[in-house]
Amino acid sequence: MRNQTDTSLFETLDLMSDGPTNWLEANLTKGAKLGYDPWLHTQGAIERFRISAERAGATLVPLSPNAVDQIWPDQPEPPHARAVPHPLELAGETSQAKRARLAEDLKKTRRRRRSADASHSICWLLNIRGADVRTRRSRCPSRC
């Protein structure tokens, strides 16, 4: 939102057209190393970042542990909560129906497998939810 940003201090970009991969390709220098946390990105995103880095003559380097974790000494503990079933009336269809639909799509496209590596995709497919990711509802008072 350009009208909410001091454009003398910040450059505004359109995430959809300018995306991070385009920015990496245009701004990484030859021989640069770009660190990333492999736990925070999907395999597909890492592959797109790797290609952009290589086009710029740079290298993508996995970091362990995460650099932010190293400089944040008092960060809160991650939540330890079990996944819970997502009610059918909210999910719209059973997990079995979703998996059957996915299997049918795999047959039609003659694919042998399909990856669901993003947590939200897995939760959708299995009709489960967890308390490890804050949602708008979890920040609401109990009356929400």
Side-chain angles (χ1 to χ4, degrees):
M1 301 226 170
R2 287 177 169 78
N3 61 348
Q4 297 177 357
T5 304
D6 184 345
T7 55
S8 68
L9 298 173
F10 298 96
E11 177 184 7
T12 58
L13 301 171
D14 180 337
L15 181 61
M16 298 311 290
S17 63
D18 298 329
T21 54
N22 293 338
W23 188 92
L24 291 174
E25 202 168 323
N27 289 278
L28 287 175
T29 58
K30 188 171 185 155
K33 292 183 179 181
L34 175 65
Y36 72 97
D37 183 338
W39 290 98
L40 297 180
H41 304 282
T42 64
Q43 288 292 346
I46 292 169
E47 181 62 15
R48 289 188 297 276
F49 294 157
R50 184 191 62 75
I51 290 169
S52 292
E54 287 179 357
R55 286 181 180 158
T59 306
L60 201 60
V61 181
L63 299 178
S64 182
N66 178 312
V68 173
D69 292 341
Q70 296 298 296
I71 61 170
W72 189 4
D74 61 342
Q75 65 180 294
E77 283 291 317
H80 300 285
R82 294 179 180 262
V84 296
H86 191 55
L88 182 59
E89 59 270 13
L90 298 176
E93 65 181 314
T94 67
S95 173
Q96 293 86 351
K98 291 176 182 179
R99 288 180 277 137
R101 191 160 39 96
L102 179 61
E104 188 60 36
D105 182 60
L106 290 171
K107 285 179 189 174
K108 284 181 185 175
T109 59
R110 296 181 183 215
R111 289 183 167 172
R112 294 177 59 202
R113 65 186 152 281
R114 185 169 181 165
S115 174
D117 55 0
S119 61
H120 63 274
S121 296
I122 296 167
C123 287
W124 171 83
L125 183 64
L126 300 178
N127 285 349
I128 58 174
R129 297 298 182 267
D132 57 333
V133 178
R134 285 176 59 129
T135 63
R136 182 175 302 214
R137 183 171 201 123
S138 69
R139 290 189 299 264
C140 288
S142 60
R143 68 181 184 279
C144 288

mmCIF file of all heavy atoms in Angstrom, residues 89-114:
data_model
loop_
_atom_site.group_PDB
_atom_site.id
_atom_site.type_symbol
_atom_site.label_atom_id
_atom_site.label_comp_id
_atom_site.label_asym_id
_atom_site.label_seq_id
_atom_site.Cartn_x
_atom_site.Cartn_y
_atom_site.Cartn_z
ATOM 1 N N GLU A 89 -18.955 -29.854 9.235
ATOM 2 C CA GLU A 89 -19.779 -28.733 8.767
ATOM 3 C C GLU A 89 -18.921 -27.532 8.362
ATOM 4 O O GLU A 89 -19.342 -26.706 7.563
ATOM 5 C CB GLU A 89 -20.838 -28.326 9.795
ATOM 6 C CG GLU A 89 -20.301 -27.898 11.143
ATOM 7 C CD GLU A 89 -20.142 -29.041 12.144
ATOM 8 O OE1 GLU A 89 -20.218 -30.217 11.749
ATOM 9 O OE2 GLU A 89 -19.937 -28.740 13.329
ATOM 10 N N LEU A 90 -17.690 -27.449 8.872
ATOM 11 C CA LEU A 90 -16.784 -26.380 8.457
ATOM 12 C C LEU A 90 -15.874 -26.825 7.316
ATOM 13 O O LEU A 90 -15.499 -26.025 6.465
ATOM 14 C CB LEU A 90 -15.929 -25.922 9.645
ATOM 15 C CG LEU A 90 -16.698 -25.320 10.820
ATOM 16 C CD1 LEU A 90 -15.764 -25.005 11.980
ATOM 17 C CD2 LEU A 90 -17.451 -24.066 10.391
ATOM 18 N N ALA A 91 -15.529 -28.102 7.304
ATOM 19 C CA ALA A 91 -14.630 -28.632 6.269
ATOM 20 C C ALA A 91 -15.333 -28.779 4.923
ATOM 21 O O ALA A 91 -14.694 -28.692 3.879
ATOM 22 C CB ALA A 91 -14.058 -29.974 6.714
ATOM 23 N N GLY A 92 -16.623 -29.047 4.934
ATOM 24 C CA GLY A 92 -17.368 -29.171 3.689
ATOM 25 C C GLY A 92 -17.444 -30.570 3.123
ATOM 26 O O GLY A 92 -18.416 -30.911 2.473
ATOM 27 N N GLU A 93 -16.424 -31.377 3.348
ATOM 28 C CA GLU A 93 -16.452 -32.768 2.910
ATOM 29 C C GLU A 93 -15.473 -33.559 3.771
ATOM 30 O O GLU A 93 -14.585 -33.002 4.395
ATOM 31 C CB GLU A 93 -16.122 -32.911 1.423
ATOM 32 C CG GLU A 93 -14.725 -32.516 1.035
ATOM 33 C CD GLU A 93 -14.455 -32.649 -0.456
ATOM 34 O OE1 GLU A 93 -14.816 -33.682 -1.056
ATOM 35 O OE2 GLU A 93 -13.869 -31.713 -1.019
ATOM 36 N N THR A 94 -15.657 -34.856 3.783
ATOM 37 C CA THR A 94 -14.811 -35.707 4.617
ATOM 38 C C THR A 94 -13.405 -35.789 4.045
ATOM 39 O O THR A 94 -13.183 -35.561 2.854
ATOM 40 C CB THR A 94 -15.378 -37.139 4.715
ATOM 41 O OG1 THR A 94 -15.294 -37.743 3.420
ATOM 42 C CG2 THR A 94 -16.809 -37.146 5.238
ATOM 43 N N SER A 95 -12.469 -36.148 4.903
ATOM 44 C CA SER A 95 -11.100 -36.366 4.460
ATOM 45 C C SER A 95 -11.049 -37.490 3.430
ATOM 46 O O SER A 95 -10.318 -37.414 2.435
ATOM 47 C CB SER A 95 -10.207 -36.706 5.657
ATOM 48 O OG SER A 95 -8.926 -37.072 5.240
ATOM 49 N N GLN A 96 -11.845 -38.525 3.662
ATOM 50 C CA GLN A 96 -11.879 -39.649 2.720
ATOM 51 C C GLN A 96 -12.313 -39.178 1.333
ATOM 52 O O GLN A 96 -11.753 -39.599 0.323
ATOM 53 C CB GLN A 96 -12.817 -40.752 3.221
ATOM 54 C CG GLN A 96 -12.335 -41.449 4.464
ATOM 55 C CD GLN A 96 -12.731 -40.726 5.757
ATOM 56 O OE1 GLN A 96 -13.239 -39.601 5.758
ATOM 57 N NE2 GLN A 96 -12.467 -41.365 6.879
ATOM 58 N N ALA A 97 -13.306 -38.306 1.269
ATOM 59 C CA ALA A 97 -13.782 -37.798 -0.017
ATOM 60 C C ALA A 97 -12.696 -36.948 -0.694
ATOM 61 O O ALA A 97 -12.500 -37.040 -1.914
ATOM 62 C CB ALA A 97 -15.055 -36.980 0.181
ATOM 63 N N LYS A 98 -11.989 -36.161 0.077
ATOM 64 C CA LYS A 98 -10.914 -35.347 -0.489
ATOM 65 C C LYS A 98 -9.800 -36.233 -1.039
ATOM 66 O O LYS A 98 -9.275 -35.987 -2.129
ATOM 67 C CB LYS A 98 -10.338 -34.400 0.570
ATOM 68 C CG LYS A 98 -11.291 -33.295 0.987
ATOM 69 C CD LYS A 98 -10.684 -32.460 2.098
ATOM 70 C CE LYS A 98 -11.646 -31.386 2.562
ATOM 71 N NZ LYS A 98 -11.092 -30.582 3.666
ATOM 72 N N ARG A 99 -9.442 -37.267 -0.275
ATOM 73 C CA ARG A 99 -8.380 -38.169 -0.724
ATOM 74 C C ARG A 99 -8.813 -38.955 -1.964
ATOM 75 O O ARG A 99 -8.010 -39.173 -2.871
ATOM 76 C CB ARG A 99 -7.947 -39.089 0.415
ATOM 77 C CG ARG A 99 -7.150 -38.296 1.472
ATOM 78 C CD ARG A 99 -6.688 -39.153 2.624
ATOM 79 N NE ARG A 99 -7.803 -39.259 3.568
ATOM 80 C CZ ARG A 99 -8.151 -40.377 4.172
ATOM 81 N NH1 ARG A 99 -7.504 -41.496 3.951
ATOM 82 N NH2 ARG A 99 -9.155 -40.381 5.015
ATOM 83 N N ALA A 100 -10.073 -39.354 -2.023
ATOM 84 C CA ALA A 100 -10.581 -40.055 -3.208
ATOM 85 C C ALA A 100 -10.547 -39.129 -4.422
ATOM 86 O O ALA A 100 -10.172 -39.541 -5.524
ATOM 87 C CB ALA A 100 -11.996 -40.567 -2.952
ATOM 88 N N ARG A 101 -10.931 -37.865 -4.219
ATOM 89 C CA ARG A 101 -10.902 -36.890 -5.310
ATOM 90 C C ARG A 101 -9.468 -36.661 -5.792
ATOM 91 O O ARG A 101 -9.199 -36.584 -6.986
ATOM 92 C CB ARG A 101 -11.536 -35.578 -4.831
ATOM 93 C CG ARG A 101 -11.812 -34.598 -5.915
ATOM 94 C CD ARG A 101 -12.849 -33.551 -5.526
ATOM 95 N NE ARG A 101 -12.785 -33.064 -4.175
ATOM 96 C CZ ARG A 101 -12.163 -31.939 -3.811
ATOM 97 N NH1 ARG A 101 -11.538 -31.221 -4.712
ATOM 98 N NH2 ARG A 101 -12.194 -31.535 -2.557
ATOM 99 N N LEU A 102 -8.541 -36.603 -4.854
ATOM 100 C CA LEU A 102 -7.129 -36.446 -5.199
ATOM 101 C C LEU A 102 -6.630 -37.666 -5.987
ATOM 102 O O LEU A 102 -5.933 -37.527 -7.000
ATOM 103 C CB LEU A 102 -6.297 -36.252 -3.936
ATOM 104 C CG LEU A 102 -4.793 -36.108 -4.114
ATOM 105 C CD1 LEU A 102 -4.456 -34.899 -4.968
ATOM 106 C CD2 LEU A 102 -4.122 -36.002 -2.756
ATOM 107 N N ALA A 103 -7.001 -38.865 -5.546
ATOM 108 C CA ALA A 103 -6.595 -40.092 -6.245
ATOM 109 C C ALA A 103 -7.145 -40.110 -7.664
ATOM 110 O O ALA A 103 -6.447 -40.490 -8.611
ATOM 111 C CB ALA A 103 -7.062 -41.322 -5.466
ATOM 112 N N GLU A 104 -8.394 -39.689 -7.830
ATOM 113 C CA GLU A 104 -9.003 -39.647 -9.162
ATOM 114 C C GLU A 104 -8.267 -38.654 -10.057
ATOM 115 O O GLU A 104 -8.019 -38.925 -11.233
ATOM 116 C CB GLU A 104 -10.491 -39.281 -9.049
ATOM 117 C CG GLU A 104 -11.252 -39.393 -10.335
ATOM 118 C CD GLU A 104 -11.228 -40.808 -10.917
ATOM 119 O OE1 GLU A 104 -11.250 -41.785 -10.146
ATOM 120 O OE2 GLU A 104 -11.164 -40.921 -12.165
ATOM 121 N N ASP A 105 -7.896 -37.518 -9.496
ATOM 122 C CA ASP A 105 -7.149 -36.522 -10.259
ATOM 123 C C ASP A 105 -5.780 -37.076 -10.677
ATOM 124 O O ASP A 105 -5.324 -36.840 -11.796
ATOM 125 C CB ASP A 105 -6.970 -35.243 -9.433
ATOM 126 C CG ASP A 105 -6.244 -34.167 -10.214
ATOM 127 O OD1 ASP A 105 -6.763 -33.767 -11.277
ATOM 128 O OD2 ASP A 105 -5.165 -33.730 -9.759
ATOM 129 N N LEU A 106 -5.146 -37.820 -9.785
ATOM 130 C CA LEU A 106 -3.851 -38.428 -10.119
ATOM 131 C C LEU A 106 -4.001 -39.417 -11.277
ATOM 132 O O LEU A 106 -3.161 -39.469 -12.172
ATOM 133 C CB LEU A 106 -3.247 -39.123 -8.900
ATOM 134 C CG LEU A 106 -2.746 -38.203 -7.788
ATOM 135 C CD1 LEU A 106 -2.370 -39.009 -6.551
ATOM 136 C CD2 LEU A 106 -1.561 -37.378 -8.263
ATOM 137 N N LYS A 107 -5.085 -40.194 -11.258
ATOM 138 C CA LYS A 107 -5.336 -41.142 -12.349
ATOM 139 C C LYS A 107 -5.557 -40.412 -13.671
ATOM 140 O O LYS A 107 -5.011 -40.792 -14.701
ATOM 141 C CB LYS A 107 -6.556 -42.007 -12.041
ATOM 142 C CG LYS A 107 -6.312 -43.077 -11.012
ATOM 143 C CD LYS A 107 -7.593 -43.861 -10.773
ATOM 144 C CE LYS A 107 -7.460 -44.793 -9.595
ATOM 145 N NZ LYS A 107 -8.726 -45.450 -9.282
ATOM 146 N N LYS A 108 -6.373 -39.350 -13.626
ATOM 147 C CA LYS A 108 -6.676 -38.606 -14.848
ATOM 148 C C LYS A 108 -5.430 -37.971 -15.452
ATOM 149 O O LYS A 108 -5.282 -37.912 -16.662
ATOM 150 C CB LYS A 108 -7.709 -37.503 -14.561
ATOM 151 C CG LYS A 108 -9.113 -37.999 -14.410
ATOM 152 C CD LYS A 108 -10.044 -36.834 -14.150
ATOM 153 C CE LYS A 108 -11.444 -37.320 -13.872
ATOM 154 N NZ LYS A 108 -12.341 -36.219 -13.497
ATOM 155 N N THR A 109 -4.551 -37.470 -14.598
ATOM 156 C CA THR A 109 -3.343 -36.790 -15.093
ATOM 157 C C THR A 109 -2.166 -37.741 -15.251
ATOM 158 O O THR A 109 -1.076 -37.321 -15.633
ATOM 159 C CB THR A 109 -2.950 -35.639 -14.159
ATOM 160 O OG1 THR A 109 -2.706 -36.158 -12.841
ATOM 161 C CG2 THR A 109 -4.033 -34.575 -14.110
ATOM 162 N N ARG A 110 -2.423 -39.026 -14.936
ATOM 163 C CA ARG A 110 -1.402 -40.079 -15.063
ATOM 164 C C ARG A 110 -0.159 -39.792 -14.222
ATOM 165 O O ARG A 110 0.952 -40.090 -14.620
ATOM 166 C CB ARG A 110 -1.034 -40.307 -16.515
ATOM 167 C CG ARG A 110 -2.194 -40.812 -17.327
ATOM 168 C CD ARG A 110 -1.815 -41.062 -18.745
ATOM 169 N NE ARG A 110 -3.006 -41.477 -19.468
ATOM 170 C CZ ARG A 110 -2.995 -42.350 -20.438
ATOM 171 N NH1 ARG A 110 -1.884 -42.883 -20.827
ATOM 172 N NH2 ARG A 110 -4.107 -42.673 -21.040
ATOM 173 N N ARG A 111 -0.393 -39.212 -13.081
ATOM 174 C CA ARG A 111 0.702 -38.974 -12.136
ATOM 175 C C ARG A 111 0.734 -40.110 -11.130
ATOM 176 O O ARG A 111 -0.293 -40.681 -10.780
ATOM 177 C CB ARG A 111 0.504 -37.666 -11.388
ATOM 178 C CG ARG A 111 0.701 -36.452 -12.235
ATOM 179 C CD ARG A 111 0.548 -35.233 -11.375
ATOM 180 N NE ARG A 111 1.023 -34.047 -12.054
ATOM 181 C CZ ARG A 111 0.862 -32.837 -11.593
ATOM 182 N NH1 ARG A 111 0.254 -32.645 -10.451
ATOM 183 N NH2 ARG A 111 1.323 -31.812 -12.252
ATOM 184 N N ARG A 112 1.921 -40.402 -10.636
ATOM 185 C CA ARG A 112 2.061 -41.467 -9.647
ATOM 186 C C ARG A 112 1.999 -40.922 -8.219
ATOM 187 O O ARG A 112 1.708 -41.645 -7.293
ATOM 188 C CB ARG A 112 3.379 -42.198 -9.868
ATOM 189 C CG ARG A 112 3.372 -42.941 -11.203
ATOM 190 C CD ARG A 112 4.665 -43.611 -11.499
ATOM 191 N NE ARG A 112 4.997 -44.572 -10.472
ATOM 192 C CZ ARG A 112 6.223 -45.009 -10.232
ATOM 193 N NH1 ARG A 112 7.221 -44.566 -10.958
ATOM 194 N NH2 ARG A 112 6.447 -45.889 -9.297
ATOM 195 N N ARG A 113 2.313 -39.642 -8.065
ATOM 196 C CA ARG A 113 2.286 -39.058 -6.727
ATOM 197 C C ARG A 113 2.108 -37.543 -6.815
ATOM 198 O O ARG A 113 2.319 -36.949 -7.852
ATOM 199 C CB ARG A 113 3.559 -39.388 -5.964
ATOM 200 C CG ARG A 113 4.809 -38.789 -6.566
ATOM 201 C CD ARG A 113 6.041 -39.289 -5.821
ATOM 202 N NE ARG A 113 7.219 -39.320 -6.628
ATOM 203 C CZ ARG A 113 7.564 -40.232 -7.516
ATOM 204 N NH1 ARG A 113 6.768 -41.237 -7.754
ATOM 205 N NH2 ARG A 113 8.668 -40.170 -8.197
ATOM 206 N N ARG A 114 1.748 -36.994 -5.673
ATOM 207 C CA ARG A 114 1.614 -35.543 -5.556
ATOM 208 C C ARG A 114 2.059 -35.161 -4.160
ATOM 209 O O ARG A 114 1.719 -35.827 -3.184
ATOM 210 C CB ARG A 114 0.164 -35.136 -5.780
ATOM 211 C CG ARG A 114 -0.033 -33.653 -5.800
ATOM 212 C CD ARG A 114 -1.405 -33.323 -6.277
ATOM 213 N NE ARG A 114 -1.558 -31.894 -6.313
ATOM 214 C CZ ARG A 114 -2.516 -31.284 -6.946
ATOM 215 N NH1 ARG A 114 -3.414 -31.993 -7.586
ATOM 216 N NH2 ARG A 114 -2.602 -29.988 -6.932
#
